[in-house]
Amino acid sequence: MAAAEPDSPLYLGLDFSTQQLKAVAVDGDLGPVHQDSVQFDSELPEFRTQGGVHIHPDGLTVTSPVLMWVKALDLLLDRMKAAGFGFSRVRALSGSGQQHGAVFWRTGAARTLTQLDPGQNLHQQLTDSFSVQDSPVWMDSSTGPQCDALQEAAGGAMRLADITGSRAYERFTGNQISKVRQTRPDQFQDTERISLVSSFGASLFLGRYAAIDYSDGSGMNLLDIRDRMWSQLCLDATAANLERLLGEPCPSTAVLVSLGTSDTLFLSLSEPRPSLEGHVFCSPVEPDGFMALLCFKNGSLTRERVRDRCCSGSWDVFSQALDRTPLGNHGNIGFYFDTMEITPPAVGLHRFDANDRQVSSWSPELEVRALVEGQFLSRRLHAERLGYSIGSGTRVLATGGASANRQILQVLSDVFNAPVYTIDLSDSACLGSAYRALHGLVADSGVSFLDQLRNAPEPQQVCRPHRSAPQVYDLMLRRFAELEQKVLEKSRI
């Protein structure tokens, strides 16, 4: 971390992710000067989460304690204060949050927010401020009936995608709201405001309810992405008077954005092209733009599970397994869906040998490569189905925790047959939030986000594909697509 000038302004970014709360501060030259985090499982064990969540007995319902997020913020700010962080130098603050997560504020919470005492911890003052104590999060897949009802009300899945950018998805906030209304009517009746995780975090700093921004609101199945207003048709199909509970959405550049957590692929779009697979959101950085997104639920947590089982919990052993196995893994292909996947909608562990016969086990080294290759083959397959063009000019920018693992990135480079770039900081959501904080001060004057970032450090190339990669993975991708179809058919039985 570079040292900032003693009195220079700072810009703070926060990320309420699935497993931790993170903070990054940058100076006016966009250089990181402070970084900190709170791990939910290990540092807040009283909430008894695993991977930051509670997985309910049905295996479909997944929630996180909202007070855990509040207490994590208390701990993070206390830690930064003890480290001598100069809060008085912070000129702007921005944040991101795991997408789709919903926070239900109890009647009277608005008054509590306006009367917060800086001498007391937030979690103590907000203990009674939430009508739903365990917030539904992006890993939840329990709202199938609500999704069906919303699509029927909209006139079909494609019509809903045309309006909101996505067909109905179980994790999307509108369907979660509908489930709470139906299954917990008393708690829903006692709700005066519903926030996303990103606007919830902003509310804690504002001392009042923060608006939901267009980009994050695009992940709710409620926002008309062209008009950038709530769709009355979708609101009426979800709950009565829902617009009052949500408040009016606002531009992502408003001085008050967010990207999610999981394995995701992003593509910038000038015009929306919704389909039944993937999502189209309002862009968080271009006022009139859009972005396409593919989300894969079984990402880092699945890699960690295989690491623990096959590599005694060691990333070094995991990396060695990738180094010791060949491109293509001797023709072995694996599908690893610990929980119901989003893209494709399948569940379970499925292993296939070079002759496409299903097998029950592999050696630890083959298992590791099958996992990583399978994940990236899936990302490429579904990206190409959405029209992503992967050609000679393609570059891949990798962010997040796994971007620190050179061997994982090499597989990514080989599968996509493209060079992979990274930034020095793995907490990219935090860094992006800090950049957004700086840009928010000048956005109204017409300065674009990209113009503001001209002095930001350039991503660095970390690996290039092996020459043999296209021969291996072009053929393997076709096999992967055929086997995925088999897995989907098996999952539907």
Side-chain angles (χ1 to χ4, degrees):
M1 289 290 165
E5 294 296 325
D7 297 319
S8 63
L10 299 177
Y11 306 90
L12 184 62
L14 297 171
D15 178 28
F16 287 82
S17 68
T18 309
Q19 301 185 64
Q20 58 185 317
L21 171 61
K22 297 168 284 188
V24 168
V26 302
D27 58 21
D29 295 324
L30 302 178
V33 297
H34 185 89
Q35 185 176 1
D36 218 326
S37 66
V38 174
Q39 300 284 335
F40 298 144
D41 291 0
S42 59
E43 298 187 70
L44 296 169
E46 62 269 31
F47 293 99
R48 299 185 177 183
T49 57
Q50 291 185 311
V53 301
H54 292 147
I55 300 178
H56 294 231
D58 63 3
L60 300 175
T61 304
V62 184
T63 60
S64 289
V66 63
L67 278 174
M68 178 181 73
W69 298 333
V70 180
K71 194 169 185 179
L73 182 60
D74 281 331
L75 183 56
L76 180 74
L77 296 177
D78 284 346
R79 188 175 293 167
M80 293 173 68
K81 183 178 179 181
F85 180 77
F87 286 101
S88 63
R89 294 161 52 200
V90 174
R91 296 293 180 270
L93 160 72
S94 185
S96 65
Q98 51 174 297
Q99 200 169 25
H100 316 300
V103 174
F104 294 77
W105 297 89
R106 175 174 286 158
T107 300
R111 189 184 319 111
T112 302
L113 281 172
T114 64
Q115 299 173 352
L116 291 174
D117 180 354
Q120 299 182 43
N121 287 324
L122 282 172
H123 77 273
Q124 294 172 326
Q125 299 180 74
L126 296 174
T127 297
D128 298 321
S129 293
F130 305 104
S131 54
V132 176
Q133 294 294 316
D134 255 22
S135 292
V137 296
W138 66 273
M139 295 172 66
D140 188 283
S141 55
S142 67
T143 62
Q146 289 77 23
C147 289
D148 292 342
L150 179 60
Q151 289 185 162
E152 182 178 356
M158 193 63 231
R159 176 58 182 147
L160 182 64
D162 284 338
I163 297 170
T164 71
S166 307
R167 65 169 175 83
Y169 281 87
E170 287 87 348
R171 70 190 190 282
F172 273 39
T173 322
N175 305 305
Q176 296 292 339
I177 292 171
S178 184
K179 179 187 173 185
V180 170
R181 175 183 63 81
Q182 294 170 15
T183 62
R184 289 182 273 181
D186 291 343
Q187 293 171 340
F188 188 79
Q189 189 66 30
D190 195 24
T191 299
E192 72 175 18
R193 184 70 172 225
I194 300 173
S195 296
L196 297 181
V197 177
S198 56
S199 59
F200 153 77
S203 301
L204 298 180
F205 286 93
L206 287 171
R208 57 181 172 81
Y209 293 137
I212 294 172
D213 75 272
Y214 298 152
S215 182
D216 213 5
S218 303
M220 301 176 72
N221 275 145
L222 295 176
L223 189 82
D224 186 319
I225 61 171
R226 291 174 176 82
D227 293 342
R228 287 170 162 77
M229 296 295 292
W230 301 123
S231 163
Q232 195 61 51
L233 183 155
C234 296
L235 292 177
D236 292 344
T238 302
N241 302 314
L242 184 54
E243 189 170 9
R244 176 181 58 81
L245 296 180
L246 296 175
E248 186 176 343
C250 73
S252 300
T253 54
V255 180
L256 286 168
V257 19
S258 82
L259 300 174
T261 177
S262 57
D263 281 4
T264 51
L265 285 174
F266 294 94
L267 174 69
S268 178
L269 300 174
S270 58
E271 293 293 334
R273 297 195 300 270
S275 73
L276 294 180
E277 185 174 275
H279 319 289
V280 176
F281 294 158
C282 298
S283 171
V285 296
E286 296 292 339
D288 299 318
F290 299 87
M291 66 179 184
L293 179 148
L294 280 167
C295 184
F296 304 89
K297 186 185 296 186
N298 293 276
S300 62
L301 296 180
T302 302
R303 288 189 289 272
E304 290 171 9
R305 179 187 65 77
V306 173
R307 175 205 63 188
D308 293 343
R309 187 173 67 83
C310 296
C311 307
S312 301
S314 168
W315 283 119
D316 288 339
V317 176
F318 190 97
S319 298
Q320 291 167 13
L322 292 175
D323 281 336
R324 291 171 180 167
T325 45
L327 278 68
N329 206 23
H330 304 293
N332 296 302
I333 291 178
F335 297 82
Y336 296 78
F337 305 132
D338 291 348
T339 58
M340 178 60 73
E341 186 51 87
I342 300 161
T343 309
V347 69
L349 174 56
H350 312 271
R351 302 181 183 91
F352 297 91
D353 65 14
N355 296 310
D356 295 346
R357 294 176 302 208
Q358 196 147 11
V359 296
S360 59
S361 64
W362 285 317
S363 69
E365 288 185 349
L366 290 181
E367 191 88 82
V368 168
R369 179 164 279 275
L371 165 69
V372 178
E373 283 188 342
Q375 288 185 328
F376 291 141
L377 283 166
S378 177
R379 294 6 170 201
R380 177 178 167 181
L381 173 67
H382 292 281
E384 291 185 347
R385 285 179 175 173
L386 270 186
Y388 291 23
S389 178
I390 298 172
S392 59
T394 298
R395 298 196 316 169
V396 178
L397 176 62
T399 66
S403 66
N405 188 302
R406 179 68 174 269
Q407 286 75 14
I408 290 178
L409 296 185
Q410 185 61 59
V411 179
L412 173 61
S413 178
D414 289 333
V415 170
F416 276 76
N417 192 32
V420 172
Y421 294 75
T422 65
I423 54 178
D424 288 338
L425 203 67
S426 62
D427 292 331
S428 56
C430 266
L431 185 62
S433 295
Y435 289 172
R436 164 63 75 203
L438 190 154
H439 176 247
L441 296 180
V442 298
D444 286 344
S445 65
V447 177
S448 74
F449 187 74
L450 294 179
D451 285 341
Q452 189 68 36
L453 263 61
R454 289 193 185 281
N455 295 327
E458 286 288 329
Q460 300 299 306
Q461 181 178 304
V462 292
C463 52
R464 296 188 62 82
H466 290 97
R467 290 191 176 188
S468 60
Q471 295 173 295
V472 173
Y473 292 113
D474 287 353
L475 176 61
M476 199 171 186
L477 188 66
R478 291 194 289 272
R479 283 185 56 220
F480 186 90
E482 294 170 357
L483 291 172
E484 183 185 88
Q485 189 58 39
K486 288 185 179 180
V487 170
L488 277 170
E489 292 170 359
K490 184 176 181 179
S491 295
R492 294 188 186 112
I493 297 175

